[in-house]
Amino acid sequence: RDLSVATVALRQRVTPRYVHMLFENEGTTFSQFVLAARLAYARRMLLEPRHAHQSISAIAYASGFGDLSHFNHAFRRLYGATPSE
């Protein structure tokens, strides 16, 4: 859950600015990358039958989202459908 530029930079022994520059070179930001990765993880869980018993909110929280409204909005924006669809 605590996935920040500072945490990643510290673990990789580089500066936060260097992490930002790596993502800038790829045409994205650290935050956009993390959001996309969390949404992709949540989507995989929603599509897998073994997670069918879990609620959407449980999957959102397991994917690193702390706010269900933010999750729903971001999911719909990226995939063009709500998580329940």
Side-chain angles (χ1 to χ4, degrees), residues 1-4 32-44 59-60 63-66 71 75 79:
R1 204 166 279 265
D2 180 29
L3 190 56
S4 67
Q32 290 170 335
F33 176 81
V34 170
L35 178 62
R38 287 178 172 166
L39 287 169
Y41 181 72
R43 184 174 182 271
R44 282 192 305 273
I59 289 173
S63 301
F65 288 90
F71 167 71
F75 192 95
Y79 296 113

mmCIF file with all atom_site columns, all heavy atoms in Angstrom, residues 1-4 32-44 59-60 63-66 71 75 79:
data_model
loop_
_atom_site.group_PDB
_atom_site.id
_atom_site.type_symbol
_atom_site.label_atom_id
_atom_site.label_alt_id
_atom_site.label_comp_id
_atom_site.label_asym_id
_atom_site.label_entity_id
_atom_site.label_seq_id
_atom_site.pdbx_PDB_ins_code
_atom_site.Cartn_x
_atom_site.Cartn_y
_atom_site.Cartn_z
_atom_site.occupancy
_atom_site.B_iso_or_equiv
_atom_site.pdbx_formal_charge
_atom_site.auth_seq_id
_atom_site.auth_comp_id
_atom_site.auth_asym_id
_atom_site.auth_atom_id
_atom_site.pdbx_PDB_model_num
ATOM 1   N N   . ARG A 1 1  ? 0.818   -1.190  0.000   1.00 0.00 ? 1  ARG A N   1
ATOM 2   C CA  . ARG A 1 1  ? 0.000   0.000   0.000   1.00 0.00 ? 1  ARG A CA  1
ATOM 3   C C   . ARG A 1 1  ? 0.862   1.254   0.000   1.00 0.00 ? 1  ARG A C   1
ATOM 4   O O   . ARG A 1 1  ? 0.505   2.237   -0.620  1.00 0.00 ? 1  ARG A O   1
ATOM 5   C CB  . ARG A 1 1  ? -0.923  -0.013  1.211   1.00 0.00 ? 1  ARG A CB  1
ATOM 6   C CG  . ARG A 1 1  ? -2.131  0.805   1.014   1.00 0.00 ? 1  ARG A CG  1
ATOM 7   C CD  . ARG A 1 1  ? -3.161  0.510   2.055   1.00 0.00 ? 1  ARG A CD  1
ATOM 8   N NE  . ARG A 1 1  ? -3.923  -0.685  1.764   1.00 0.00 ? 1  ARG A NE  1
ATOM 9   C CZ  . ARG A 1 1  ? -5.080  -0.676  1.159   1.00 0.00 ? 1  ARG A CZ  1
ATOM 10  N NH1 . ARG A 1 1  ? -5.617  0.438   0.770   1.00 0.00 ? 1  ARG A NH1 1
ATOM 11  N NH2 . ARG A 1 1  ? -5.719  -1.796  0.931   1.00 0.00 ? 1  ARG A NH2 1
ATOM 12  N N   . ASP A 1 2  ? 1.966   1.233   0.705   1.00 0.00 ? 2  ASP A N   1
ATOM 13  C CA  . ASP A 1 2  ? 2.850   2.405   0.757   1.00 0.00 ? 2  ASP A CA  1
ATOM 14  C C   . ASP A 1 2  ? 3.810   2.365   -0.427  1.00 0.00 ? 2  ASP A C   1
ATOM 15  O O   . ASP A 1 2  ? 4.979   2.053   -0.273  1.00 0.00 ? 2  ASP A O   1
ATOM 16  C CB  . ASP A 1 2  ? 3.617   2.437   2.080   1.00 0.00 ? 2  ASP A CB  1
ATOM 17  C CG  . ASP A 1 2  ? 4.543   3.637   2.164   1.00 0.00 ? 2  ASP A CG  1
ATOM 18  O OD1 . ASP A 1 2  ? 4.242   4.671   1.545   1.00 0.00 ? 2  ASP A OD1 1
ATOM 19  O OD2 . ASP A 1 2  ? 5.581   3.537   2.842   1.00 0.00 ? 2  ASP A OD2 1
ATOM 20  N N   . LEU A 1 3  ? 3.296   2.663   -1.585  1.00 0.00 ? 3  LEU A N   1
ATOM 21  C CA  . LEU A 1 3  ? 4.105   2.654   -2.787  1.00 0.00 ? 3  LEU A CA  1
ATOM 22  C C   . LEU A 1 3  ? 4.270   4.094   -3.244  1.00 0.00 ? 3  LEU A C   1
ATOM 23  O O   . LEU A 1 3  ? 3.412   4.650   -3.908  1.00 0.00 ? 3  LEU A O   1
ATOM 24  C CB  . LEU A 1 3  ? 3.432   1.809   -3.865  1.00 0.00 ? 3  LEU A CB  1
ATOM 25  C CG  . LEU A 1 3  ? 4.249   1.510   -5.100  1.00 0.00 ? 3  LEU A CG  1
ATOM 26  C CD1 . LEU A 1 3  ? 5.563   0.823   -4.743  1.00 0.00 ? 3  LEU A CD1 1
ATOM 27  C CD2 . LEU A 1 3  ? 3.454   0.615   -6.033  1.00 0.00 ? 3  LEU A CD2 1
ATOM 28  N N   . SER A 1 4  ? 5.373   4.681   -2.841  1.00 0.00 ? 4  SER A N   1
ATOM 29  C CA  . SER A 1 4  ? 5.642   6.062   -3.205  1.00 0.00 ? 4  SER A CA  1
ATOM 30  C C   . SER A 1 4  ? 6.986   6.147   -3.917  1.00 0.00 ? 4  SER A C   1
ATOM 31  O O   . SER A 1 4  ? 7.803   5.224   -3.856  1.00 0.00 ? 4  SER A O   1
ATOM 32  C CB  . SER A 1 4  ? 5.679   6.943   -1.954  1.00 0.00 ? 4  SER A CB  1
ATOM 33  O OG  . SER A 1 4  ? 6.801   6.594   -1.154  1.00 0.00 ? 4  SER A OG  1
ATOM 34  N N   . GLN A 1 32 ? 0.957   7.468   -12.626 1.00 0.00 ? 32 GLN A N   1
ATOM 35  C CA  . GLN A 1 32 ? 0.168   6.851   -13.693 1.00 0.00 ? 32 GLN A CA  1
ATOM 36  C C   . GLN A 1 32 ? 0.520   5.371   -13.843 1.00 0.00 ? 32 GLN A C   1
ATOM 37  O O   . GLN A 1 32 ? -0.361  4.535   -14.050 1.00 0.00 ? 32 GLN A O   1
ATOM 38  C CB  . GLN A 1 32 ? 0.398   7.574   -15.018 1.00 0.00 ? 32 GLN A CB  1
ATOM 39  C CG  . GLN A 1 32 ? -0.204  8.952   -15.060 1.00 0.00 ? 32 GLN A CG  1
ATOM 40  C CD  . GLN A 1 32 ? 0.255   9.740   -16.284 1.00 0.00 ? 32 GLN A CD  1
ATOM 41  O OE1 . GLN A 1 32 ? 1.315   9.491   -16.851 1.00 0.00 ? 32 GLN A OE1 1
ATOM 42  N NE2 . GLN A 1 32 ? -0.555  10.707  -16.681 1.00 0.00 ? 32 GLN A NE2 1
ATOM 43  N N   . PHE A 1 33 ? 1.802   5.059   -13.734 1.00 0.00 ? 33 PHE A N   1
ATOM 44  C CA  . PHE A 1 33 ? 2.249   3.672   -13.836 1.00 0.00 ? 33 PHE A CA  1
ATOM 45  C C   . PHE A 1 33 ? 1.659   2.821   -12.718 1.00 0.00 ? 33 PHE A C   1
ATOM 46  O O   . PHE A 1 33 ? 1.137   1.736   -12.953 1.00 0.00 ? 33 PHE A O   1
ATOM 47  C CB  . PHE A 1 33 ? 3.776   3.608   -13.804 1.00 0.00 ? 33 PHE A CB  1
ATOM 48  C CG  . PHE A 1 33 ? 4.312   2.214   -13.807 1.00 0.00 ? 33 PHE A CG  1
ATOM 49  C CD1 . PHE A 1 33 ? 4.425   1.503   -14.998 1.00 0.00 ? 33 PHE A CD1 1
ATOM 50  C CD2 . PHE A 1 33 ? 4.695   1.596   -12.628 1.00 0.00 ? 33 PHE A CD2 1
ATOM 51  C CE1 . PHE A 1 33 ? 4.912   0.202   -15.007 1.00 0.00 ? 33 PHE A CE1 1
ATOM 52  C CE2 . PHE A 1 33 ? 5.184   0.298   -12.625 1.00 0.00 ? 33 PHE A CE2 1
ATOM 53  C CZ  . PHE A 1 33 ? 5.293   -0.397  -13.817 1.00 0.00 ? 33 PHE A CZ  1
ATOM 54  N N   . VAL A 1 34 ? 1.726   3.326   -11.498 1.00 0.00 ? 34 VAL A N   1
ATOM 55  C CA  . VAL A 1 34 ? 1.200   2.593   -10.342 1.00 0.00 ? 34 VAL A CA  1
ATOM 56  C C   . VAL A 1 34 ? -0.308  2.414   -10.473 1.00 0.00 ? 34 VAL A C   1
ATOM 57  O O   . VAL A 1 34 ? -0.832  1.319   -10.236 1.00 0.00 ? 34 VAL A O   1
ATOM 58  C CB  . VAL A 1 34 ? 1.569   3.300   -9.016  1.00 0.00 ? 34 VAL A CB  1
ATOM 59  C CG1 . VAL A 1 34 ? 0.830   2.692   -7.836  1.00 0.00 ? 34 VAL A CG1 1
ATOM 60  C CG2 . VAL A 1 34 ? 3.074   3.244   -8.790  1.00 0.00 ? 34 VAL A CG2 1
ATOM 61  N N   . LEU A 1 35 ? -1.008  3.466   -10.876 1.00 0.00 ? 35 LEU A N   1
ATOM 62  C CA  . LEU A 1 35 ? -2.462  3.371   -11.044 1.00 0.00 ? 35 LEU A CA  1
ATOM 63  C C   . LEU A 1 35 ? -2.817  2.312   -12.085 1.00 0.00 ? 35 LEU A C   1
ATOM 64  O O   . LEU A 1 35 ? -3.689  1.472   -11.849 1.00 0.00 ? 35 LEU A O   1
ATOM 65  C CB  . LEU A 1 35 ? -3.030  4.729   -11.445 1.00 0.00 ? 35 LEU A CB  1
ATOM 66  C CG  . LEU A 1 35 ? -4.541  4.765   -11.710 1.00 0.00 ? 35 LEU A CG  1
ATOM 67  C CD1 . LEU A 1 35 ? -5.333  4.390   -10.455 1.00 0.00 ? 35 LEU A CD1 1
ATOM 68  C CD2 . LEU A 1 35 ? -4.942  6.142   -12.214 1.00 0.00 ? 35 LEU A CD2 1
ATOM 69  N N   . ALA A 1 36 ? -2.139  2.342   -13.222 1.00 0.00 ? 36 ALA A N   1
ATOM 70  C CA  . ALA A 1 36 ? -2.416  1.362   -14.286 1.00 0.00 ? 36 ALA A CA  1
ATOM 71  C C   . ALA A 1 36 ? -2.128  -0.063  -13.813 1.00 0.00 ? 36 ALA A C   1
ATOM 72  O O   . ALA A 1 36 ? -2.881  -0.993  -14.115 1.00 0.00 ? 36 ALA A O   1
ATOM 73  C CB  . ALA A 1 36 ? -1.598  1.694   -15.533 1.00 0.00 ? 36 ALA A CB  1
ATOM 74  N N   . ALA A 1 37 ? -1.045  -0.245  -13.076 1.00 0.00 ? 37 ALA A N   1
ATOM 75  C CA  . ALA A 1 37 ? -0.692  -1.580  -12.576 1.00 0.00 ? 37 ALA A CA  1
ATOM 76  C C   . ALA A 1 37 ? -1.736  -2.073  -11.569 1.00 0.00 ? 37 ALA A C   1
ATOM 77  O O   . ALA A 1 37 ? -2.134  -3.248  -11.604 1.00 0.00 ? 37 ALA A O   1
ATOM 78  C CB  . ALA A 1 37 ? 0.695   -1.560  -11.945 1.00 0.00 ? 37 ALA A CB  1
ATOM 79  N N   . ARG A 1 38 ? -2.195  -1.196  -10.692 1.00 0.00 ? 38 ARG A N   1
ATOM 80  C CA  . ARG A 1 38 ? -3.217  -1.587  -9.715  1.00 0.00 ? 38 ARG A CA  1
ATOM 81  C C   . ARG A 1 38 ? -4.537  -1.923  -10.391 1.00 0.00 ? 38 ARG A C   1
ATOM 82  O O   . ARG A 1 38 ? -5.214  -2.883  -10.020 1.00 0.00 ? 38 ARG A O   1
ATOM 83  C CB  . ARG A 1 38 ? -3.402  -0.476  -8.684  1.00 0.00 ? 38 ARG A CB  1
ATOM 84  C CG  . ARG A 1 38 ? -2.256  -0.380  -7.709  1.00 0.00 ? 38 ARG A CG  1
ATOM 85  C CD  . ARG A 1 38 ? -2.433  0.737   -6.728  1.00 0.00 ? 38 ARG A CD  1
ATOM 86  N NE  . ARG A 1 38 ? -1.396  0.649   -5.700  1.00 0.00 ? 38 ARG A NE  1
ATOM 87  C CZ  . ARG A 1 38 ? -1.114  1.610   -4.849  1.00 0.00 ? 38 ARG A CZ  1
ATOM 88  N NH1 . ARG A 1 38 ? -1.798  2.736   -4.881  1.00 0.00 ? 38 ARG A NH1 1
ATOM 89  N NH2 . ARG A 1 38 ? -0.158  1.450   -3.956  1.00 0.00 ? 38 ARG A NH2 1
ATOM 90  N N   . LEU A 1 39 ? -4.894  -1.129  -11.395 1.00 0.00 ? 39 LEU A N   1
ATOM 91  C CA  . LEU A 1 39 ? -6.140  -1.396  -12.126 1.00 0.00 ? 39 LEU A CA  1
ATOM 92  C C   . LEU A 1 39 ? -6.051  -2.710  -12.892 1.00 0.00 ? 39 LEU A C   1
ATOM 93  O O   . LEU A 1 39 ? -7.022  -3.475  -12.931 1.00 0.00 ? 39 LEU A O   1
ATOM 94  C CB  . LEU A 1 39 ? -6.454  -0.239  -13.075 1.00 0.00 ? 39 LEU A CB  1
ATOM 95  C CG  . LEU A 1 39 ? -6.933  1.046   -12.403 1.00 0.00 ? 39 LEU A CG  1
ATOM 96  C CD1 . LEU A 1 39 ? -6.951  2.195   -13.411 1.00 0.00 ? 39 LEU A CD1 1
ATOM 97  C CD2 . LEU A 1 39 ? -8.298  0.857   -11.770 1.00 0.00 ? 39 LEU A CD2 1
ATOM 98  N N   . ALA A 1 40 ? -4.917  -2.979  -13.493 1.00 0.00 ? 40 ALA A N   1
ATOM 99  C CA  . ALA A 1 40 ? -4.740  -4.239  -14.231 1.00 0.00 ? 40 ALA A CA  1
ATOM 100 C C   . ALA A 1 40 ? -4.840  -5.430  -13.282 1.00 0.00 ? 40 ALA A C   1
ATOM 101 O O   . ALA A 1 40 ? -5.458  -6.452  -13.613 1.00 0.00 ? 40 ALA A O   1
ATOM 102 C CB  . ALA A 1 40 ? -3.399  -4.238  -14.964 1.00 0.00 ? 40 ALA A CB  1
ATOM 103 N N   . TYR A 1 41 ? -4.254  -5.299  -12.104 1.00 0.00 ? 41 TYR A N   1
ATOM 104 C CA  . TYR A 1 41 ? -4.329  -6.371  -11.106 1.00 0.00 ? 41 TYR A CA  1
ATOM 105 C C   . TYR A 1 41 ? -5.777  -6.599  -10.677 1.00 0.00 ? 41 TYR A C   1
ATOM 106 O O   . TYR A 1 41 ? -6.253  -7.741  -10.601 1.00 0.00 ? 41 TYR A O   1
ATOM 107 C CB  . TYR A 1 41 ? -3.443  -6.022  -9.911  1.00 0.00 ? 41 TYR A CB  1
ATOM 108 C CG  . TYR A 1 41 ? -3.423  -7.065  -8.839  1.00 0.00 ? 41 TYR A CG  1
ATOM 109 C CD1 . TYR A 1 41 ? -2.766  -8.273  -9.039  1.00 0.00 ? 41 TYR A CD1 1
ATOM 110 C CD2 . TYR A 1 41 ? -4.051  -6.850  -7.618  1.00 0.00 ? 41 TYR A CD2 1
ATOM 111 C CE1 . TYR A 1 41 ? -2.738  -9.245  -8.050  1.00 0.00 ? 41 TYR A CE1 1
ATOM 112 C CE2 . TYR A 1 41 ? -4.026  -7.813  -6.623  1.00 0.00 ? 41 TYR A CE2 1
ATOM 113 C CZ  . TYR A 1 41 ? -3.373  -9.004  -6.840  1.00 0.00 ? 41 TYR A CZ  1
ATOM 114 O OH  . TYR A 1 41 ? -3.353  -9.972  -5.857  1.00 0.00 ? 41 TYR A OH  1
ATOM 115 N N   . ALA A 1 42 ? -6.492  -5.504  -10.421 1.00 0.00 ? 42 ALA A N   1
ATOM 116 C CA  . ALA A 1 42 ? -7.898  -5.611  -10.012 1.00 0.00 ? 42 ALA A CA  1
ATOM 117 C C   . ALA A 1 42 ? -8.726  -6.244  -11.127 1.00 0.00 ? 42 ALA A C   1
ATOM 118 O O   . ALA A 1 42 ? -9.572  -7.107  -10.862 1.00 0.00 ? 42 ALA A O   1
ATOM 119 C CB  . ALA A 1 42 ? -8.448  -4.228  -9.671  1.00 0.00 ? 42 ALA A CB  1
ATOM 120 N N   . ARG A 1 43 ? -8.483  -5.858  -12.358 1.00 0.00 ? 43 ARG A N   1
ATOM 121 C CA  . ARG A 1 43 ? -9.232  -6.419  -13.489 1.00 0.00 ? 43 ARG A CA  1
ATOM 122 C C   . ARG A 1 43 ? -8.998  -7.923  -13.604 1.00 0.00 ? 43 ARG A C   1
ATOM 123 O O   . ARG A 1 43 ? -9.942  -8.694  -13.823 1.00 0.00 ? 43 ARG A O   1
ATOM 124 C CB  . ARG A 1 43 ? -8.825  -5.712  -14.776 1.00 0.00 ? 43 ARG A CB  1
ATOM 125 C CG  . ARG A 1 43 ? -9.623  -6.162  -15.977 1.00 0.00 ? 43 ARG A CG  1
ATOM 126 C CD  . ARG A 1 43 ? -9.272  -5.307  -17.199 1.00 0.00 ? 43 ARG A CD  1
ATOM 127 N NE  . ARG A 1 43 ? -10.065 -5.697  -18.336 1.00 0.00 ? 43 ARG A NE  1
ATOM 128 C CZ  . ARG A 1 43 ? -9.718  -6.646  -19.212 1.00 0.00 ? 43 ARG A CZ  1
ATOM 129 N NH1 . ARG A 1 43 ? -8.581  -7.292  -19.076 1.00 0.00 ? 43 ARG A NH1 1
ATOM 130 N NH2 . ARG A 1 43 ? -10.496 -6.939  -20.224 1.00 0.00 ? 43 ARG A NH2 1
ATOM 131 N N   . ARG A 1 44 ? -7.741  -8.337  -13.449 1.00 0.00 ? 44 ARG A N   1
ATOM 132 C CA  . ARG A 1 44 ? -7.446  -9.777  -13.495 1.00 0.00 ? 44 ARG A CA  1
ATOM 133 C C   . ARG A 1 44 ? -8.209  -10.516 -12.401 1.00 0.00 ? 44 ARG A C   1
ATOM 134 O O   . ARG A 1 44 ? -8.775  -11.587 -12.636 1.00 0.00 ? 44 ARG A O   1
ATOM 135 C CB  . ARG A 1 44 ? -5.936  -10.034 -13.360 1.00 0.00 ? 44 ARG A CB  1
ATOM 136 C CG  . ARG A 1 44 ? -5.156  -9.794  -14.631 1.00 0.00 ? 44 ARG A CG  1
ATOM 137 C CD  . ARG A 1 44 ? -3.746  -10.326 -14.548 1.00 0.00 ? 44 ARG A CD  1
ATOM 138 N NE  . ARG A 1 44 ? -2.972  -9.837  -13.415 1.00 0.00 ? 44 ARG A NE  1
ATOM 139 C CZ  . ARG A 1 44 ? -2.268  -8.702  -13.414 1.00 0.00 ? 44 ARG A CZ  1
ATOM 140 N NH1 . ARG A 1 44 ? -2.247  -7.926  -14.484 1.00 0.00 ? 44 ARG A NH1 1
ATOM 141 N NH2 . ARG A 1 44 ? -1.598  -8.340  -12.344 1.00 0.00 ? 44 ARG A NH2 1
ATOM 142 N N   . ILE A 1 59 ? -11.641 -6.507  -3.573  1.00 0.00 ? 59 ILE A N   1
ATOM 143 C CA  . ILE A 1 59 ? -10.671 -6.567  -4.663  1.00 0.00 ? 59 ILE A CA  1
ATOM 144 C C   . ILE A 1 59 ? -9.977  -5.218  -4.834  1.00 0.00 ? 59 ILE A C   1
ATOM 145 O O   . ILE A 1 59 ? -8.765  -5.157  -5.036  1.00 0.00 ? 59 ILE A O   1
ATOM 146 C CB  . ILE A 1 59 ? -11.357 -7.033  -5.961  1.00 0.00 ? 59 ILE A CB  1
ATOM 147 C CG1 . ILE A 1 59 ? -11.713 -8.517  -5.839  1.00 0.00 ? 59 ILE A CG1 1
ATOM 148 C CG2 . ILE A 1 59 ? -10.483 -6.768  -7.188  1.00 0.00 ? 59 ILE A CG2 1
ATOM 149 C CD1 . ILE A 1 59 ? -12.536 -9.080  -6.971  1.00 0.00 ? 59 ILE A CD1 1
ATOM 150 N N   . ALA A 1 60 ? -10.728 -4.145  -4.723  1.00 0.00 ? 60 ALA A N   1
ATOM 151 C CA  . ALA A 1 60 ? -10.133 -2.805  -4.820  1.00 0.00 ? 60 ALA A CA  1
ATOM 152 C C   . ALA A 1 60 ? -9.090  -2.597  -3.732  1.00 0.00 ? 60 ALA A C   1
ATOM 153 O O   . ALA A 1 60 ? -7.973  -2.140  -4.005  1.00 0.00 ? 60 ALA A O   1
ATOM 154 C CB  . ALA A 1 60 ? -11.217 -1.734  -4.728  1.00 0.00 ? 60 ALA A CB  1
ATOM 155 N N   . SER A 1 63 ? -5.993  -4.538  -4.245  1.00 0.00 ? 63 SER A N   1
ATOM 156 C CA  . SER A 1 63 ? -5.202  -4.005  -5.353  1.00 0.00 ? 63 SER A CA  1
ATOM 157 C C   . SER A 1 63 ? -4.462  -2.728  -4.983  1.00 0.00 ? 63 SER A C   1
ATOM 158 O O   . SER A 1 63 ? -3.764  -2.149  -5.810  1.00 0.00 ? 63 SER A O   1
ATOM 159 C CB  . SER A 1 63 ? -6.110  -3.724  -6.551  1.00 0.00 ? 63 SER A CB  1
ATOM 160 O OG  . SER A 1 63 ? -6.751  -4.905  -6.960  1.00 0.00 ? 63 SER A OG  1
ATOM 161 N N   . GLY A 1 64 ? -4.642  -2.283  -3.752  1.00 0.00 ? 64 GLY A N   1
ATOM 162 C CA  . GLY A 1 64 ? -3.905  -1.114  -3.285  1.00 0.00 ? 64 GLY A CA  1
ATOM 163 C C   . GLY A 1 64 ? -4.689  0.181   -3.260  1.00 0.00 ? 64 GLY A C   1
ATOM 164 O O   . GLY A 1 64 ? -4.123  1.242   -2.991  1.00 0.00 ? 64 GLY A O   1
ATOM 165 N N   . PHE A 1 65 ? -5.981  0.111   -3.526  1.00 0.00 ? 65 PHE A N   1
ATOM 166 C CA  . PHE A 1 65 ? -6.808  1.312   -3.480  1.00 0.00 ? 65 PHE A CA  1
ATOM 167 C C   . PHE A 1 65 ? -7.350  1.504   -2.075  1.00 0.00 ? 65 PHE A C   1
ATOM 168 O O   . PHE A 1 65 ? -7.841  0.567   -1.464  1.00 0.00 ? 65 PHE A O   1
ATOM 169 C CB  . PHE A 1 65 ? -7.973  1.206   -4.472  1.00 0.00 ? 65 PHE A CB  1
ATOM 170 C CG  . PHE A 1 65 ? -7.550  1.320   -5.908  1.00 0.00 ? 65 PHE A CG  1
ATOM 171 C CD1 . PHE A 1 65 ? -7.202  0.183   -6.614  1.00 0.00 ? 65 PHE A CD1 1
ATOM 172 C CD2 . PHE A 1 65 ? -7.475  2.552   -6.526  1.00 0.00 ? 65 PHE A CD2 1
ATOM 173 C CE1 . PHE A 1 65 ? -6.797  0.271   -7.934  1.00 0.00 ? 65 PHE A CE1 1
ATOM 174 C CE2 . PHE A 1 65 ? -7.073  2.647   -7.848  1.00 0.00 ? 65 PHE A CE2 1
ATOM 175 C CZ  . PHE A 1 65 ? -6.728  1.512   -8.552  1.00 0.00 ? 65 PHE A CZ  1
ATOM 176 N N   . GLY A 1 66 ? -7.292  2.713   -1.586  1.00 0.00 ? 66 GLY A N   1
ATOM 177 C CA  . GLY A 1 66 ? -7.813  3.023   -0.267  1.00 0.00 ? 66 GLY A CA  1
ATOM 178 C C   . GLY A 1 66 ? -9.173  3.685   -0.331  1.00 0.00 ? 66 GLY A C   1
ATOM 179 O O   . GLY A 1 66 ? -9.839  3.855   0.680   1.00 0.00 ? 66 GLY A O   1
ATOM 180 N N   . PHE A 1 71 ? -11.341 4.177   -7.060  1.00 0.00 ? 71 PHE A N   1
ATOM 181 C CA  . PHE A 1 71 ? -11.168 2.936   -7.812  1.00 0.00 ? 71 PHE A CA  1
ATOM 182 C C   . PHE A 1 71 ? -12.210 2.823   -8.922  1.00 0.00 ? 71 PHE A C   1
ATOM 183 O O   . PHE A 1 71 ? -11.876 2.564   -10.081 1.00 0.00 ? 71 PHE A O   1
ATOM 184 C CB  . PHE A 1 71 ? -11.247 1.725   -6.882  1.00 0.00 ? 71 PHE A CB  1
ATOM 185 C CG  . PHE A 1 71 ? -11.379 0.413   -7.613  1.00 0.00 ? 71 PHE A CG  1
ATOM 186 C CD1 . PHE A 1 71 ? -10.308 -0.112  -8.320  1.00 0.00 ? 71 PHE A CD1 1
ATOM 187 C CD2 . PHE A 1 71 ? -12.575 -0.279  -7.611  1.00 0.00 ? 71 PHE A CD2 1
ATOM 188 C CE1 . PHE A 1 71 ? -10.424 -1.319  -9.009  1.00 0.00 ? 71 PHE A CE1 1
ATOM 189 C CE2 . PHE A 1 71 ? -12.706 -1.485  -8.296  1.00 0.00 ? 71 PHE A CE2 1
ATOM 190 C CZ  . PHE A 1 71 ? -11.623 -1.998  -8.995  1.00 0.00 ? 71 PHE A CZ  1
ATOM 191 N N   . PHE A 1 75 ? -11.277 2.920   -12.838 1.00 0.00 ? 75 PHE A N   1
ATOM 192 C CA  . PHE A 1 75 ? -11.545 1.693   -13.585 1.00 0.00 ? 75 PHE A CA  1
ATOM 193 C C   . PHE A 1 75 ? -12.418 2.004   -14.806 1.00 0.00 ? 75 PHE A C   1
ATOM 194 O O   . PHE A 1 75 ? -12.130 1.565   -15.919 1.00 0.00 ? 75 PHE A O   1
ATOM 195 C CB  . PHE A 1 75 ? -12.240 0.671   -12.675 1.00 0.00 ? 75 PHE A CB  1
ATOM 196 C CG  . PHE A 1 75 ? -12.300 -0.712  -13.249 1.00 0.00 ? 75 PHE A CG  1
ATOM 197 C CD1 . PHE A 1 75 ? -11.338 -1.650  -12.918 1.00 0.00 ? 75 PHE A CD1 1
ATOM 198 C CD2 . PHE A 1 75 ? -13.319 -1.089  -14.124 1.00 0.00 ? 75 PHE A CD2 1
ATOM 199 C CE1 . PHE A 1 75 ? -11.374 -2.941  -13.445 1.00 0.00 ? 75 PHE A CE1 1
ATOM 200 C CE2 . PHE A 1 75 ? -13.374 -2.371  -14.655 1.00 0.00 ? 75 PHE A CE2 1
ATOM 201 C CZ  . PHE A 1 75 ? -12.395 -3.298  -14.315 1.00 0.00 ? 75 PHE A CZ  1
ATOM 202 N N   . TYR A 1 79 ? -11.136 1.335   -18.579 1.00 0.00 ? 79 TYR A N   1
ATOM 203 C CA  . TYR A 1 79 ? -11.717 0.180   -19.264 1.00 0.00 ? 79 TYR A CA  1
ATOM 204 C C   . TYR A 1 79 ? -13.067 0.446   -19.927 1.00 0.00 ? 79 TYR A C   1
ATOM 205 O O   . TYR A 1 79 ? -13.591 -0.418  -20.623 1.00 0.00 ? 79 TYR A O   1
ATOM 206 C CB  . TYR A 1 79 ? -11.820 -1.003  -18.307 1.00 0.00 ? 79 TYR A CB  1
ATOM 207 C CG  . TYR A 1 79 ? -10.475 -1.481  -17.840 1.00 0.00 ? 79 TYR A CG  1
ATOM 208 C CD1 . TYR A 1 79 ? -10.083 -1.359  -16.515 1.00 0.00 ? 79 TYR A CD1 1
ATOM 209 C CD2 . TYR A 1 79 ? -9.559  -2.039  -18.733 1.00 0.00 ? 79 TYR A CD2 1
ATOM 210 C CE1 . TYR A 1 79 ? -8.844  -1.780  -16.085 1.00 0.00 ? 79 TYR A CE1 1
ATOM 211 C CE2 . TYR A 1 79 ? -8.310  -2.468  -18.322 1.00 0.00 ? 79 TYR A CE2 1
ATOM 212 C CZ  . TYR A 1 79 ? -7.962  -2.329  -16.986 1.00 0.00 ? 79 TYR A CZ  1
ATOM 213 O OH  . TYR A 1 79 ? -6.724  -2.741  -16.574 1.00 0.00 ? 79 TYR A OH  1
#
